Amino acid sequence: MNADPSTRHFGTNAIHAGQQPDPSTGAVMTPIYQSSTYVQSAPGEHQGYEYSRVSNPTRTALEGNLAALEGATHGIAFASGVAGIDAIMKGLRPGDHVISTNDLYGGSFRLFTNVFEPFGIDFSFVDMSDLANVEDAITDDTAMIWVETPTNPLMRIVDIEAVCDIADTHGIDVTVDNTFATPYLQQPLDLGADMVLHSATKYLGGHSDIILGAVCTSSDEWAEKLRFQVKSAGASPGPMDCFLALRGTKTLHVRMDRHCDNARALALFLEEHPKVDTVLYPGLQSHPGHDIAAKQMSDFGGMIAFTLTDDSIDAAKTVLSNTDVFLLAESLGGVESLIEHPASMTHASIPAEERAKIGLTDSLIRVSVGIEDINDLRADLEQAIERV
């Protein structure tokens, strides 16, 4: 498939971009090149590969695929999503300042505050749903703005284009964690972002069977920095994980349609339930960021957070402990539906006082809506909530 990916639609690129039938056998699927090293015809003369920490043909196919899906020039795969974040942060220097969303994945917060702050990188965490907070946080040392939208777990929406406009006037780079939305629903580079970060463990892989990360960019400078980090620090994904991620992206568009349909139906069901207090889903008209989400997303994703009218941790635990189809587990974005308690699970690394500041209460429940039959999902949540 040698045609320019930019001339094709998303679903075609999801299946074909970055790949072509194996020239030696005609195999349709990209082979798993399970090799650490490669023969050279003479010292320094090779076929593009020397050592698999640096690059691997299976990984190259995945990187081309992800770049096409994000409309980027470069895709760089990592051993995990946080390895990708780590590589980006290593592109900064002591004294640099980063403005980040204050509602974000707990692992990102832990990496920023526990790993990079001690090395002299300064972080400000602000509610980016109010653009004035971004403007007010900018200093002469601000080198990057870190955006999550929808945010994890409070499902806040950040106007990517508006943040990028602000950043451009100050010469600041913008990175968007696009894990929740995926490139199928949201294209941050088209809205002005410099880099897009993914935990490919989630929707891109889609089957809860890999740990993998990726950064996509059209900046040659950033791509060079990131590939240097892969080579030097060794956060390289294995070829089997890259193969499985390629398998995942082939059905991304089909899966995301079902994730969105199911989440929309469940959000409407929860909004009408007498024992549910607040439903956080950007597809609802009641969501404060709905209009911005509708502007920059083609649909609203498969993630929902909600609280109960009995706003106690015991009530939340009752629901969390009594689902059947929804599995109590961390992570998200797989074909199976998951339910979790952010305060004690995915966001436990964020101090309680910081969680309280942003409204992440101990009673908040987060669900990753899978692609099962909607009737079974609705019935499962209803019977669990009725136990409260």
Side-chain angles (χ1 to χ4, degrees), residues 364-385:
L364 186 77
I365 295 170
R366 191 192 76 179
V367 293
S368 172
V369 183
I371 66 172
E372 302 94 337
D373 189 282
I374 185 58
N375 296 296
D376 294 326
L377 294 177
R378 188 186 294 112
D380 190 38
L381 279 185
E382 180 157 30
Q383 64 82 25
I385 294 171

Side-chain angles (χ1 to χ4, degrees), residues 153 270 275-280 304-308 316 319 339 361 363-367 381 385:
L270 290 168
K275 292 188 177 183
V276 173
D277 182 31
T278 303
V279 182
L280 304 174
I304 303 172
F306 66 96
T307 59
L308 304 168
V319 174
I339 190 167
T361 65
S363 62
L364 186 77
I365 295 170
R366 191 192 76 179
V367 293
L381 279 185
I385 294 171

Side-chain angles (χ1 to χ4, degrees), residues 269-304:
F269 157 73
L270 290 168
E271 194 172 43
E272 296 299 321
H273 199 289
K275 292 188 177 183
V276 173
D277 182 31
T278 303
V279 182
L280 304 174
Y281 182 67
L284 294 175
Q285 293 285 343
S286 59
H287 191 287
H290 173 76
D291 290 343
I292 295 173
K295 179 184 72 169
Q296 66 189 21
M297 301 175 72
S298 60
D299 210 333
F300 302 101
M303 300 299 299
I304 303 172

Side-chain angles (χ1 to χ4, degrees), residues 84-318:
I85 302 172
D86 179 78
I88 292 172
M89 289 298 117
K90 286 175 179 173
L92 304 180
R93 290 295 176 262
D96 283 345
H97 174 238
V98 177
I99 302 170
S100 169
T101 42
N102 64 349
D103 174 33
L104 77 167
Y105 169 53
S108 302
F109 182 87
R110 179 177 58 227
L111 189 63
F112 292 165
T113 58
N114 291 1
V115 176
F116 285 101
E117 276 192 343
F119 285 113
I121 296 176
D122 186 32
F123 292 86
S124 297
F125 298 93
V126 304
D127 178 3
M128 290 189 185
S129 60
D130 183 347
L131 294 172
N133 293 332
V134 179
E135 288 272 19
D136 291 344
I138 293 174
T139 74
D140 291 341
D141 296 320
T142 304
M144 181 169 290
I145 299 177
W146 187 273
V147 178
E148 270 191 24
T149 183
T151 62
N152 181 6
L154 295 176
M155 305 303 297
R156 291 174 178 158
I157 298 299
V158 179
D159 189 328
I160 298 172
E161 189 170 27
V163 169
C164 291
D165 287 344
I166 294 170
D168 282 348
T169 63
H170 296 274
I172 300 168
D173 288 329
V174 176
T175 301
V176 177
D177 185 335
N178 205 28
T179 298
F180 269 25
T182 81
Y184 183 57
L185 304 182
Q186 185 169 267
Q187 298 271 316
L189 297 183
D190 285 348
L191 297 171
D194 298 280
M195 284 180 282
V196 176
L197 180 281
H198 283 282
S199 171
T201 306
K202 313 305 194 294
Y203 286 108
L204 296 183
H207 294 79
S208 301
D209 54 7
I210 60 170
I211 300 291
L212 196 137
V215 179
C216 296
T217 183
S218 291
S219 165
D220 295 340
E221 180 183 358
W222 268 110
E224 184 177 353
K225 288 180 180 180
L226 295 171
R227 293 196 187 281
F228 177 82
Q229 289 299 329
V230 173
K231 177 179 180 178
S232 301
S236 314
M240 185 66 189
D241 287 339
C242 292
F243 174 86
L244 290 173
L246 275 172
R247 178 209 58 184
T249 59
K250 288 180 184 296
T251 59
L252 176 63
H253 54 303
V254 180
R255 288 185 286 107
M256 290 308 299
D257 283 340
R258 183 63 171 265
H259 284 298
C260 292
D261 288 346
N262 281 353
R264 184 167 27 252
L266 284 182
L268 291 168
F269 157 73
L270 290 168
E271 194 172 43
E272 296 299 321
H273 199 289
K275 292 188 177 183
V276 173
D277 182 31
T278 303
V279 182
L280 304 174
Y281 182 67
L284 294 175
Q285 293 285 343
S286 59
H287 191 287
H290 173 76
D291 290 343
I292 295 173
K295 179 184 72 169
Q296 66 189 21
M297 301 175 72
S298 60
D299 210 333
F300 302 101
M303 300 299 299
I304 303 172
F306 66 96
T307 59
L308 304 168
T309 53
D310 180 348
D311 189 26
S312 68
I313 192 169
D314 288 339
K317 285 182 176 179
T318 297

